Amino acid sequence: MAIDAGDTAFIIICTAMVMLMTPGVGLFYGGMVRSKNIISMIAMSFISFAVVSIQWVTIGYTLSFGSDISGFIGGLDHLFLAGVGLEGDGIPDMLFMVFQLVFAGVTLAILTSGVAGRIKLSSFIVLGILWTTIVYDPLAHWAWGGGWAGELGALDFAGGTVVHISSGFGALALALVIGNRAGFGKYSMEAENITTTLLGGAMLWFGWFAFNAGSALAADGLAVNALVVTNVSAAAGAITWMFAAWAMGKPSSLGLISGAVAGLVAITPASGFVGPMAAIFIGGFAGLLCYGALLFRVRKGLDESLDAWAVHGMGGFWGAIATGIFATASIGGVDGLIYGNTHQFLIQLLDATVAMIYAFVVTYILAVIIDKTMGLRVTEEEEYVGLDISQHGESTTA
Amino acid sequence: MAIDAGDTAFIIICTAMVMLMTPGVGLFYGGMVRSKNIISMIAMSFISFAVVSIQWVTIGYTLSFGSDISGFIGGLDHLFLAGVGLEGDGIPDMLFMVFQLVFAGVTLAILTSGVAGRIKLSSFIVLGILWTTIVYDPLAHWAWGGGWAGELGALDFAGGTVVHISSGFGALALALVIGNRAGFGKYSMEAENITTTLLGGAMLWFGWFAFNAGSALAADGLAVNALVVTNVSAAAGAITWMFAAWAMGKPSSLGLISGAVAGLVAITPASGFVGPMAAIFIGGFAGLLCYGALLFRVRKGLDESLDAWAVHGMGGFWGAIATGIFATASIGGVDGLIYGNTHQFLIQLLDATVAMIYAFVVTYILAVIIDKTMGLRVTEEEEYVGLDISQHGESTTA
Amino acid sequence: MAIDAGDTAFIIICTAMVMLMTPGVGLFYGGMVRSKNIISMIAMSFISFAVVSIQWVTIGYTLSFGSDISGFIGGLDHLFLAGVGLEGDGIPDMLFMVFQLVFAGVTLAILTSGVAGRIKLSSFIVLGILWTTIVYDPLAHWAWGGGWAGELGALDFAGGTVVHISSGFGALALALVIGNRAGFGKYSMEAENITTTLLGGAMLWFGWFAFNAGSALAADGLAVNALVVTNVSAAAGAITWMFAAWAMGKPSSLGLISGAVAGLVAITPASGFVGPMAAIFIGGFAGLLCYGALLFRVRKGLDESLDAWAVHGMGGFWGAIATGIFATASIGGVDGLIYGNTHQFLIQLLDATVAMIYAFVVTYILAVIIDKTMGLRVTEEEEYVGLDISQHGESTTA
Amino acid sequence: MKTVKAVIRPEKLEDVKAALEEKGYFAMTVTEVKGRGAQKGICLQYRGKQIKVDMIPKTEIEMVVGDEDVRPIIEIVRKSARTGKFGDGKIFVYPVDIVAAIRNDDEIVSE
Amino acid sequence: MKTVKAVIRPEKLEDVKAALEEKGYFAMTVTEVKGRGAQKGICLQYRGKQIKVDMIPKTEIEMVVGDEDVRPIIEIVRKSARTGKFGDGKIFVYPVDIVAAIRNDDEIVSE
Amino acid sequence: MKTVKAVIRPEKLEDVKAALEEKGYFAMTVTEVKGRGAQKGICLQYRGKQIKVDMIPKTEIEMVVGDEDVRPIIEIVRKSARTGKFGDGKIFVYPVDIVAAIRNDDEIVSE
Ligand SMILES: Nc1ncnc2c1ncn2[C@@H]1O[C@H](COP(=O)(O)OP(=O)(O)O)[C@@H](O)[C@H]1O
Ligand SMILES: Nc1ncnc2c1ncn2[C@@H]1O[C@H](COP(=O)(O)OP(=O)(O)O)[C@@H](O)[C@H]1O
Ligand SMILES: Nc1ncnc2c1ncn2[C@@H]1O[C@H](COP(=O)(O)OP(=O)(O)O)[C@@H](O)[C@H]1O
C-alpha cells in the first residue's frame, strides 16, 4: 500500500496535537502547586519533551520498535533512525516514528508530578533520560513493538499501560523515594493558579482526541470511534467526579477537570474496542474510582503530590481491565468479558499487573540509585524559596 | 460513496478544534468578570460541554437529526445513537454526529454569559440540560435536520441561527429573568483579566476556522472558501470595532477582540455562500453594529453581562440577513438580494426572526419556571463573595 | 491535477495552526515585558494579523504572487484576489493564498518586539501596513513568487529569509530608530509573566509544525520530513541554550524556550532539505549562536527589546546558510556543501545577505520617515504609565 | 500629621476616590488586602452545614494628612463607602512623625 | 488601641488564624508582601558561588486591638507561627489614635 | 524604634535595596501598591481632551529601625530613588511601640 494523503495529513496533525499535550501537562500541574513552583512544573514538561525528542530519534525508537529481542526489547536496527524512511504503508514510517515520539514525551511529563516542588533539576534530567529508556521504551515494545504483551493478545489501543500505568505507578515510586514535601499535611498546599490548571486541562482534552483517534493510524471509522468514545468518557468522568465531590462538600472545578482526565485515561486503552455507551460507564466509573484513590492517598498521608498515581495509575489500570470487559468484536475485532470472552479479560489483567509492577519496581530502584549518587532532592532552603528561584533563577512576580 | 480518508481526517480534526472553542468561551468570558467569578465562568463552560456531551449521544442527536416530525423536531430513531454507524457518505455517520455535538456544547457555553456572577450552579445544570433539549435541538433540526427552515430553503451554513441567535437572544432572556448583578451601574465591574480574554479570543478565532470550514463536511473548495471568508470577516470586524471605539475614546484590546468575534459570528451562516470581498463588508459592518448594540444595552441599564446578545444575537441576526443579501450562486449555488433574488432575502429574514422569537420566548419561560422552583440566583452574600468561593469552594488566590 | 481531499484537509488545518502562532507571538512577548505593557504586546499581535489579513487579500497577495516584474515584485493581476479560484493543483489556489496570508501576519507580529513598550499605536498601524507591503511582499516574491532568488535556485523551504531574517533585522532597525526604553540598563526590566511566555512558546512550537510541514503544500513524505526535523531542531536548541545559560548561571525557563524558538527558526528554511541528524546539529548550534547574539546585544547596551534580532535575525541567517551546508538530494533534490555543492552554499549566502540588507535598510528608512512625520514613540509619561493604559485605556489589574 | 487608613469594599473604591477628590484630597496609596471583621466573615448556608468564608478581598486606602483633615476624611469615607451591611470596613488613624518627599527635600516633622 | 502587625511565613497563616480564633481574636487584615530579615535572605549554594535570594514571600497580618490584647496576641502568634528557623518573621506594635467603623458611627478614640 | 515607610517607583527598587545594603540596612518588607500624589496623577493628552491616569503602580518599602537610623535611611532612599520628576514618591516615619521576633523571644520595647 502506498502513502495516503488523507491518513498522512491526519497523523501529522495528530502528532502536533499530542505534542501540545506536553505543555498542557505542565500548565495543568503548574496551576496546582504553589506559585513559587509553577515555572518549575511547566519547565520540566518542556525539558521532558526536549530530552525525549533527542533520546527517541537516537536510541528510544529502536529500543521500542526495532526487531524484537526475546519479547522484551527492540534491537538496534533503527539506531539514529537508520532504515526509517519517508515511504510506508498508508503513512510514512517516519511519521509513525514521530507520532510515537510525542507519546514518549508526554509520558515523562506526567511523571514529574510525583516530585513536584522538591526535585533537583539536574537529577531530574538524568532520571528522565534513564526512565524513558529503561521503563517507557520496553513497555512500548511489549505493547506495540512486537513484544510479549502484544503477542499474547493484550489490547492497548492508545497507551493505557504504556503511558498511564507506567507514569502513574512510576510517580508513586518516585514520591516514596523522594519523600513528602516539607510541611506536607501541616501547611496548606492548595492549588494557587486554578485557571492555569483549567487551561492545561483544556489542552489535554483537545490533544487527547489526537492521542486516541490518531492511534488508529488512519483516518477511518476506527479513528472516529476512538474520537467519540474519548469525548464521552471524559464528559462522564467529569460529571461523576464533580457530583461525588459535591456530595462531600463543594463541586470544585479541580474535581471537574480531574474527573475529565480520569475519563480520558480510562478510555485510552479501550478506545478502539468499545462503543459510546460502554464509554459512558468506563469514564463515569473512572471518575469515582480515581476520586476514591485520591482520598485514600490523602488519608494515608502520602504526598504523591498531584495525583498521577490516583488518576493515571489507577485510571489506567481500570481502563486496561475495562477493555477486557467491554470490548466488542463489532468495533475492534475482539470481544470482552461481557460478550463471554473471559480469556481476554485475564490477558488484560495480566498485562496491566505486569506493567504496574515493572514500572513501580524499576522506577523505585532507579530513583534510589540517583538519590544515593546525585541526590534527588533539593536542600530544605531551596525547597522553601521554591524551585522557580532555586532551580531556574526566575520568579512569576518580578 | 465510501469513506474518504481526506474528508474524515478533516472533520475529525475540525471536531477537536471546535471542542477547544468551549474552554475558549470560558476563558474569553472569564477574563471579563471580576476575579472572584473567573473560575465559575470557566467551569461553567466545561460543565456545559460535559452535560451536552452526554445529552447529545443519548437524546439530543436524535431530536435534531432523527427522522422529521412535522418539520419541528427529530424522531427517536437514533436514541442512544442507534443506527449511527462507522460507515457513511464521505465521512462516517458517527463523525457527523460528534461534529454536531461540539456545536451544541459551545452554544450552551455562550449562554452562560448572560448570568455571569450570579447564577446558582445547580440551577444552571438543570437549566442547561433543558435548554439544549428544547431550544438548541429543535433549532438544529429546523436548519439542518430536515425541519421547516431547511425545507423552505433558508441558508445557515455553520449556525448563525442555530448557534448564535439562539444563544444571544437566550442570554438576553436569562439576563432579564435573573436581574442585574448587585451594584450594577454603581460599582465598577471592569474586566479584571484581559490577557485571559485575549487568549480565549485566540482560541475562538482558531476554532472558528474548523467551525465554518468544517461545516462543508468535506475538505474541498467550499471549505476553503469558508476558511478565507471567516478570516477576512474576523479581521474586518476587529478593525471597525477598534476604530469606532477609538473615535469615542481608546482603542481597547477588548474592543478589538470583541469586533473579531462579531465578524466571526456574522460570517458563520454566510461562509458557504459569499466571497471574500463581501466578507470584508459583512465583518466590518458587524463590528459597528455589535458595538452599537453594546452601547445601546449599556445605556438601557441592562446587565446582559458579557454581551452575548449584542455580539452573538445581533451579529447572528445580521449574518443571517447578510447571507440573503450577498449570497452568490457561483460559490454556494444560491443568489442573494444583490443578485436579484429577493425571495432568498425574505426567507432569511423569516428564518432569523422565527429563531429569535423562539429562542427568546422559550428561554424566558424556562428561566421563569426554574426561578420559581429551584431559584435561579445565588443569595446576595454568595454573590458578594463571588461564585468561585460560594459555588465551587475555590479561589484564584490561595 | 485535481483537488486532493487529503492535501486540502492538511493545508486548511495548517493554516489555522499557523494563525494561532500570531497570538502565540503576542503571549510569548507579552510575558517578557513589564506587566504595564502586556496587553499592548498581545494587542499588537492581533492588530498585525487583522491588518495584514485585509492587506493580503486586497494588494499583498498579488504583489507577492502576481506575475513577476523584473524579478523584484509581483504584478497586479490578482488584485482583490482576481483570478484566485477554488480550483487548483492538489489544493485550491485560494487555499495557497490564505496559507500564505497567515505567514505574512505572524511576520509582522514578530516585528513588534523591537519597539516593545514605547511605540505609538497609530504609528505602528501605519508602519505595519507599509512594512508588510514594501518589505514582506517583495521578499515573499523573491523566494516563492517567481522572483530573482527562487530563479537563482536559493532554497527557503518555509521562510528563513522571508519571515525570520526580515522580521529580525527589521526589528533591529526599528529599535535603532526608536531608541532604548527609558531607564534601559538602569532599571530592572525583567520578564514579569513567565508562564505567559511559556504558554506562547508552546503555541509557537505547535504551530511551527504546520508552518514547516505545511510548506510542503501536500501531506506527503516531504511534509513528514519537515515535521520531524522541526521537532528535533527545536529540542536541540532548547537543550543547548539551557546548558549554555546553566554554565553561566541558572538554567532559566526563558532560556529553554528561547532556545527552542531559535531551533525552530533555524530549521525553517532547511526543513524540506535536511534529515533528522543534521537537524540536531542545526538546532543545537542555533541555540548557542542566538544566545551568544543576545549576550552581545546586551553588552552593546542596545535595547532590541525582546531579541527578535538575536533569535529570528541571526537564527534565520544561520538557517539559510545551514541549508546550503546540510541539504541532501535524497530529501529535497539538492545537495549542499558537505555533499560537495559549494555553489548552493554561495547562493544561500548571497540570498540571506541580500534579504538582510534589504530588510534592515528599508525598515530603517521607513521608520525614520514615520518618526519624522507621525512620531514613532509615545511621550515619556505615556511610556512611564505603560502602553496598556496610555494606548488602550486598559490594565491587567482592575 | 496623621495617617488615615481605611479598609473598604473594593467595588466602592471609585466612589470613595471621587468623593475625596471633590473635597481636594488627592494623595493616597492603595493596597489590595483580604480581611475579616468581628463578624467572623460571611456564613454561607450550604446543605445544612454552614461554611464560613473569611478573608474577603478588601481595598486599603492610606492617606497621610494634616491633623485637621482627619475628621473630614473620616466623614467622607463613611458617606461614600457605607452600604449599611456587615463588611463595610473600618478606618484607623495613626500618628506620623515625619513626612518627607523623595523628589525634593521638602519635609514635615510632626510636633 | 494598638495595631499588632505580624510578618509570618505564608504557609503558617491557617495555623495562626486558627490559634487566634480559638482565643476570640477574629478581626484582621492580611496582605501579601515580600521581605528579608537581618539574615539578609537565604543563601543558596550554587556551583561554588553563593546566590542570595532575598525578598521571600511573606504574609502580613494586621490586627487593631485593645492595649490589653497586645501581649496575648504576641504570644499566640509566636506559638503558632514559630518553626525556630530563620525566616519566622517579626511582630511590630504601633499606637493607634482612632478606630472608626464605616458601617455605623461607632468610634474609639485612644487616650 | 521607628518605622520608615517609603513609597517609590517600582523600577527603583533594586537601586534602593542596593544602596541600603551598602550601609548595612537589610531588613525590610516590600508591598506592591498603587498610588497618586498631590499632582493628581499623570495627565495624558488624548485627542484634545485630557485623560487622567491616577493610581500608578508603586512599591512600598517598610523598615523598622532604631531612632538613630531614621535620618540616614531617609537620605539613602532619597539619593537612590530620586529622578527629580513627579512621582518619585514619599517617605513616612511612624513611631513603633514593640518589635518582637517570632523565631525566638527577642524583643525591643520602645520607651
Ligand atoms: N480590628 C481590626 N483589625 C484589623 N482589620 C480590621 C479590624 N476590623 C476590621 N478590619 C478590616 O476591615 C474589614 C471590614 O470589617 P468588618 O468587620 O467586615 O466591617 P463591619 O464591622 O462593618 O462588618 C475586614 O475585612 C478587615 O480587613
Ligand atoms: N526590621 C524590619 N523591618 C521591616 N520588616 C522586617 C524587619 N525585620 C524582619 N522583617 C520582616 O520579617 C520577615 C522575616 O524576618 P526574618 O529576619 O527572616 O526573621 P528571622 O529574624 O526570624 O529570621 C522579613 O522577610 C521581613 O518581611
Ligand atoms: N499624602 C499621601 N498619603 C499617602 N500616600 C501618598 C501621599 N503622598 C504621596 N503618596 C504616595 O506616594 C506616591 C508618589 O507620590 P507623588 O505625589 O507622585 O510624588 P511627587 O510628589 O514626588 O510627585 C503616590 O503614588 C502615593 O502612593
Side-chain angles (χ1 to χ4, degrees), chain C residues 246-251, chain E residues 44-47 49 51:
Chain C
W246 209 334
M248 303 191 53
K250 288 272 182 187
Chain E
L44 304 176
Q45 289 300 333
Y46 184 66
R47 289 167 60 91
K49 84 182 165 220
I51 292 190

Short mmCIF file of all heavy atoms in Angstrom, two decimals, chain C residues 246-251, chain E residues 44-47 49 51:
data_model
loop_
_atom_site.label_atom_id
_atom_site.label_comp_id
_atom_site.label_asym_id
_atom_site.label_seq_id
_atom_site.Cartn_x
_atom_site.Cartn_y
_atom_site.Cartn_z
N TRP C 246 23.05 27.63 31.83
CA TRP C 246 23.39 26.96 33.09
C TRP C 246 24.87 27.19 33.42
O TRP C 246 25.23 27.47 34.57
CB TRP C 246 23.09 25.47 32.97
CG TRP C 246 22.73 24.79 34.25
CD1 TRP C 246 23.09 25.17 35.52
CD2 TRP C 246 21.91 23.62 34.39
NE1 TRP C 246 22.55 24.29 36.43
CE2 TRP C 246 21.83 23.33 35.78
CE3 TRP C 246 21.26 22.77 33.50
CZ2 TRP C 246 21.12 22.23 36.27
CZ3 TRP C 246 20.56 21.69 34.00
CH2 TRP C 246 20.48 21.43 35.36
N ALA C 247 25.68 27.03 32.41
CA ALA C 247 27.12 27.22 32.61
C ALA C 247 27.43 28.62 33.10
O ALA C 247 28.39 28.84 33.83
CB ALA C 247 27.86 26.94 31.29
N MET C 248 26.63 29.57 32.70
CA MET C 248 26.89 30.95 33.10
C MET C 248 26.05 31.38 34.30
O MET C 248 26.12 32.54 34.70
CB MET C 248 26.60 31.89 31.94
CG MET C 248 27.43 31.54 30.71
SD MET C 248 27.32 32.84 29.47
CE MET C 248 27.77 34.28 30.42
N GLY C 249 25.21 30.50 34.82
CA GLY C 249 24.37 30.89 35.96
C GLY C 249 23.29 29.85 36.19
O GLY C 249 23.58 28.75 36.61
N LYS C 250 22.06 30.21 35.85
CA LYS C 250 20.95 29.31 36.10
C LYS C 250 20.29 28.88 34.78
O LYS C 250 20.21 29.67 33.85
CB LYS C 250 19.89 30.05 36.93
CG LYS C 250 20.29 30.29 38.36
CD LYS C 250 19.90 29.10 39.23
CE LYS C 250 20.27 29.37 40.69
NZ LYS C 250 20.06 28.16 41.50
N PRO C 251 19.77 27.68 34.72
CA PRO C 251 19.05 27.24 33.51
C PRO C 251 17.63 27.77 33.53
O PRO C 251 16.69 27.09 33.91
CB PRO C 251 19.06 25.72 33.66
CG PRO C 251 19.07 25.48 35.13
CD PRO C 251 19.83 26.64 35.75
N LEU E 44 21.69 30.42 48.72
CA LEU E 44 21.74 29.13 48.07
C LEU E 44 23.15 28.89 47.57
O LEU E 44 23.76 29.75 46.95
CB LEU E 44 20.77 29.10 46.89
CG LEU E 44 19.32 29.43 47.23
CD1 LEU E 44 18.48 29.46 45.97
CD2 LEU E 44 18.75 28.42 48.21
N GLN E 45 23.64 27.71 47.86
CA GLN E 45 24.94 27.32 47.32
C GLN E 45 24.74 27.03 45.86
O GLN E 45 23.91 26.19 45.51
CB GLN E 45 25.48 26.06 48.01
CG GLN E 45 25.89 26.29 49.42
CD GLN E 45 26.98 27.33 49.53
OE1 GLN E 45 27.76 27.53 48.60
NE2 GLN E 45 27.03 28.03 50.65
N TYR E 46 25.45 27.67 45.02
CA TYR E 46 25.24 27.39 43.63
C TYR E 46 26.56 27.26 42.89
O TYR E 46 27.21 28.23 42.58
CB TYR E 46 24.35 28.43 42.98
CG TYR E 46 24.06 28.05 41.59
CD1 TYR E 46 23.30 26.90 41.34
CD2 TYR E 46 24.62 28.75 40.54
CE1 TYR E 46 23.10 26.49 40.07
CE2 TYR E 46 24.42 28.33 39.26
CZ TYR E 46 23.66 27.20 39.03
OH TYR E 46 23.47 26.78 37.76
N ARG E 47 26.94 26.03 42.61
CA ARG E 47 28.20 25.75 41.91
C ARG E 47 29.32 26.59 42.49
O ARG E 47 29.99 27.32 41.79
CB ARG E 47 28.05 26.07 40.43
CG ARG E 47 27.18 25.09 39.69
CD ARG E 47 26.82 25.61 38.34
NE ARG E 47 28.01 25.85 37.52
CZ ARG E 47 28.53 24.95 36.71
NH1 ARG E 47 28.01 23.75 36.61
NH2 ARG E 47 29.58 25.23 36.00
N LYS E 49 29.71 29.38 43.82
CA LYS E 49 29.39 30.75 44.22
C LYS E 49 28.02 30.78 44.89
O LYS E 49 27.13 29.97 44.60
CB LYS E 49 29.50 31.71 43.04
CG LYS E 49 28.29 31.79 42.14
CD LYS E 49 28.54 32.75 40.97
CE LYS E 49 27.46 32.50 39.94
NZ LYS E 49 27.76 32.50 38.58
N ILE E 51 24.39 32.30 45.80
CA ILE E 51 23.36 33.17 45.27
C ILE E 51 22.44 33.56 46.41
O ILE E 51 21.92 32.70 47.11
CB ILE E 51 22.55 32.46 44.17
CG1 ILE E 51 23.46 32.23 42.97
CG2 ILE E 51 21.33 33.26 43.80
CD1 ILE E 51 22.72 31.76 41.75
#
